[in-house]
Amino acid sequence: MDVLCLNAGSSSLKFAVYRVAASDPGGKRTETLRAEGEVERVAAAGSRLRARAPGASAPIEREERFADHVAAVGAVFAALESLAVAGPDAVGHRLVHGGPRYAAPVRIDAHVLEDLRRLVALAPLHMPSGLAVIDAVTSKFPALPQVACFDMAFHHRMPELAQRLPLPEWVWDEGIRRYGFHGLSYEYVLATLGPAARGRVVIAHLGNGASLAAVRDGRPVDTTMGLTPTGGLVMGTRTGDLDPGVLLYLLREKRYDADALARLVDREAGLLGISGTTSDVRALLAARDGDPRAALALSLFSYQARKHIGAMAAVLGGLDTLVFTGGIGEHAAPVRAEICAGLEHLGVRLDPERSERSVDPISAHGSACIVRVIATNEDLMIARHVAATLG
């Protein structure tokens, strides 16, 4: 089965094609990457398509205006044809939210789509583009099977205590609760850990969006994000957790409306808001020696991550394994070092040389807590889910 994995952001579309095949009578699968790429800055100036395939003579890279995600989907299929990658047998979509109902991947039909459209208010930044991509594929290939893979489904098994918000019962009945996200990434990391996932594990998915998950013996126990991907740690352009009184102050005293609040907490805050210049950690690291605000942004990010790791360890009753993943977690060694400084009471001790080179594991020999760096692969996790869902 050739599976096209589509991951729609608010202004981007990432894609990958995996061939998933049974390799032995026992049903063990082989997974082969056939193509991958992205469309950047959808519906904006400077939009660009990149696509590459292991067997192709040269990658595709071109600047072209894509008016919307529908146009981007058309460009993806055209690029795959140019790379001589056969049309997919199925399509898997990463969808941020599935609400209280969807706790596992599901084949998309009209009824499922109707349910998903009701959830746009829970993730207004991400759900519209995801649904637009589903509609575009349906319009172009109506008979092609499509599967929705939900980024919060992993956390459905958390104890109710971890999902509850301190609000009246009717709010819970409305489906307003702590869902958590980055679930596809956490699933992939746990699958990669294999038997090492036994015990008390904290996974730090640190990228432009950032969250932590506490996992005991492979089962999710708690996480930092809540109802939406805006909560938890400070992020690239998102606030993370915020005193509700701040929002009330802005509503009452500064006459903010809902749109202005959404723009502030999702697009103008986080590392960008603190530094005043950028949300890119690489640029902040390069500038921090001469720019106090860049240094402050990085210090606050590391401080909050360290504090939340401590909270996750408290929930687990200790810590056996700490895993860093995501763009920052995998590549920003100085940030990892600053996060881990002060976690010695949890048995965390880094090997500076291994950490600087991101050689897994990065913990010192004899460290009570094993610290790992694992490159995540949400696309491959989507392909696995599609193959399992469609049999």
Side-chain angles (χ1 to χ4, degrees), residues 76-220:
V76 167
F77 277 96
L80 294 177
E81 187 173 347
S82 298
L83 291 169
V85 175
D89 301 304
V91 178
H93 300 266
R94 173 183 174 264
L95 289 181
V96 167
H97 232 300
R101 178 171 183 177
Y102 293 104
V106 62
R107 183 165 178 169
I108 297 169
D109 59 21
H111 178 68
V112 170
L113 266 178
E114 184 181 349
D115 281 347
L116 297 179
R117 295 191 200 285
R118 297 193 189 102
L119 300 174
V120 169
L122 295 180
L125 267 184
H126 300 87
M127 288 296 285
S129 55
L131 292 170
V133 168
I134 293 172
D135 290 339
V137 174
T138 303
S139 175
K140 192 172 180 67
F141 300 103
L144 196 61
Q146 299 185 70
V147 174
C149 302
F150 301 101
D151 213 25
M152 31 59 67
F154 172 76
H155 303 287
H156 259 274
R157 294 187 297 153
M158 291 193 309
E160 184 178 317
L161 195 63
Q163 298 184 46
R164 282 273 179 172
L165 294 168
L167 294 168
E169 188 69 13
W170 68 265
V171 180
W172 171 268
D173 293 339
E174 287 280 319
I176 307 302
R177 60 196 64 176
R178 298 182 67 248
Y179 286 99
F181 300 92
H182 293 136
L184 292 167
S185 176
Y186 293 136
E187 285 183 279
Y188 179 82
V189 168
L190 289 173
T192 302
L193 283 172
R198 298 193 186 104
R200 302 162 299 182
V201 180
V202 170
I203 306 172
H205 179 107
L206 306 180
N208 191 51
S211 70
L212 305 177
V215 182
R216 181 185 291 113
D217 295 327
R219 187 180 182 88

Side-chain angles (χ1 to χ4, degrees), residues 10-74:
S10 57
S11 61
S12 66
L13 179 62
K14 297 178 182 179
F15 62 93
V17 177
Y18 277 92
R19 174 161 291 172
V20 183
S23 61
D24 60 36
K28 183 179 179 182
R29 291 191 175 113
T30 60
E31 300 148 342
T32 308
L33 178 66
R34 305 202 62 220
E36 62 180 343
E38 60 278 323
V39 181
E40 300 173 338
R41 299 181 62 80
V42 175
S47 54
R48 179 190 302 269
L49 166 71
R50 295 187 180 93
R52 49 209 167 268
S57 57
I60 295 172
E61 184 168 342
R62 66 172 185 265
E63 291 189 7
E64 180 180 335
R65 180 166 178 79
F66 301 101
D68 50 29
H69 281 80
V70 176
V73 169

Side-chain angles (χ1 to χ4, degrees), residues 252-272:
R252 290 169 176 162
E253 303 300 325
K254 300 299 180 181
R255 299 293 186 260
Y256 272 54
D257 60 13
D259 290 338
L261 282 178
R263 188 166 57 250
L264 174 68
V265 302
D266 282 321
R267 299 183 183 276
E268 299 172 352
L271 299 178
L272 173 63

Side-chain angles (χ1 to χ4, degrees), residues 182-340:
H182 293 136
L184 292 167
S185 176
Y186 293 136
E187 285 183 279
Y188 179 82
V189 168
L190 289 173
T192 302
L193 283 172
R198 298 193 186 104
R200 302 162 299 182
V201 180
V202 170
I203 306 172
H205 179 107
L206 306 180
N208 191 51
S211 70
L212 305 177
V215 182
R216 181 185 291 113
D217 295 327
R219 187 180 182 88
V221 177
D222 207 338
T223 190
T224 53
M225 283 180 169
L227 173 71
T228 74
T230 305
L233 308 177
V234 62
M235 293 172 248
T237 63
R238 296 175 231 166
T239 58
D241 287 345
L242 199 62
D243 177 354
V246 174
L247 304 181
L248 294 174
Y249 173 84
L250 294 172
L251 286 167
R252 290 169 176 162
E253 303 300 325
K254 300 299 180 181
R255 299 293 186 260
Y256 272 54
D257 60 13
D259 290 338
L261 282 178
R263 188 166 57 250
L264 174 68
V265 302
D266 282 321
R267 299 183 183 276
E268 299 172 352
L271 299 178
L272 173 63
I274 299 164
S275 70
T277 54
T278 182
S279 62
D280 189 316
V281 165
R282 292 166 297 185
L284 293 172
L285 285 169
R288 67 175 174 176
D289 288 342
D291 183 346
R293 291 186 64 181
L296 176 62
L298 290 169
S299 294
L300 183 58
F301 180 85
S302 300
Y303 169 76
Q304 287 203 2
R306 182 166 61 249
K307 182 171 70 171
H308 281 282
I309 289 170
M312 296 291 110
V315 169
L316 292 169
L319 187 57
D320 300 311
T321 306
L322 172 61
V323 181
F324 288 99
T325 192
I328 300 170
E330 294 166 25
H331 304 296
V335 176
R336 289 198 303 260
E338 189 169 346
I339 290 171
C340 290

